[in-house]
Amino acid sequence: MRDEVTGLEYSKYDPQINTNDEIVMQPGVYVICKRHDASVLELRIEETREFMPGYQVLYVGKTNASLRQRIINQHFHGSGRNSTLRRTIGNLMGYEHFLLPGGRYRFITEHEQALTLYMATRFIAFYSPTEQTEHYEHMLIMRYSPPLNHTIY
């Protein structure tokens, strides 16, 4: 799938269908979207622009290391300490958290597990390998104005 804004080819990762090893271990950009059939009313965010038909943009990110590591291990199956996206969603949902030594952020275990399930059933990721991560992330954020990129916790 090609995005008109960046001109990049994107692959889709659906945590309910795809296996984790289908995502490449390369630098790149990614767009986290709401599933076309999912509700995110509890996040209290406005309707957003569509990245691909039926998929509203919620968050845009980049990694200079591994798309697989960032999308799977830090966002979909990670913790609040390594994912701004998880931290934002958990806070919007009122999840209980605490600070680890060194100021690292973490939700209690039950809430980390709830976040993993919430994201797997409501979100889909589109990703594209590229070395120009800063450039394309900026383009995507400017075009789609993703609401979860603008919420700071």
Side-chain angles (χ1 to χ4, degrees):
M1 295 169 256
R2 183 174 296 280
D3 170 47
E4 297 173 4
V5 174
T6 62
L8 295 174
E9 278 293 323
Y10 286 81
S11 298
K12 181 169 107 176
Y13 170 73
D14 181 338
Q16 294 185 341
I17 297 172
N18 301 108
T19 61
N20 295 351
D21 60 352
E22 292 180 48
I23 298 182
V24 297
M25 293 178 59
Q26 298 172 351
V29 292
Y30 56 93
V31 179
I32 305 288
C33 296
K34 180 183 88 63
R35 273 179 193 284
H36 60 85
D37 58 350
S39 170
V40 292
L41 293 175
E42 53 281 329
L43 298 181
R44 298 176 297 282
I45 55 177
E46 301 286 326
E47 203 165 291
T48 64
R49 292 183 173 154
E50 289 186 348
F51 180 67
M52 298 287 172
Y55 296 101
Q56 293 180 359
V57 176
L58 298 175
Y59 185 82
V60 168
K62 66 169 175 57
T63 178
N64 292 316
S66 166
L67 282 161
R68 183 186 307 168
Q69 174 72 25
R70 186 69 178 141
I71 294 168
I72 303 296
N73 297 343
Q74 293 179 351
H75 289 320
F76 280 95
H77 296 284
S79 71
R81 74 174 177 261
N82 293 321
S83 169
T84 304
L85 175 60
R86 285 179 75 92
R87 191 167 42 249
T88 299
I89 293 167
N91 278 299
L92 288 171
M93 295 177 74
Y95 284 173
E96 185 178 342
H97 64 276
F98 57 93
L99 293 178
L100 296 168
R104 304 291 293 206
Y105 199 97
R106 181 146 180 110
F107 293 105
I108 63 172
T109 302
E110 304 89 80
H111 289 163
E112 288 288 2
Q113 293 168 343
L115 267 172
T116 297
L117 179 61
Y118 183 86
M119 291 181 68
T121 57
R122 288 173 176 79
F123 299 160
I124 286 180
F126 292 91
Y127 62 92
S128 183
T130 179
E131 295 290 329
Q132 299 175 325
T133 58
E134 296 278 340
H135 171 73
Y136 287 117
E137 180 192 42
H138 178 75
M139 285 177 71
L140 289 164
I141 289 172
M142 295 306 293
R143 169 66 175 102
Y144 295 106
S145 192
L148 298 180
N149 281 75
H150 302 292
T151 308
I152 306 295
Y153 286 96

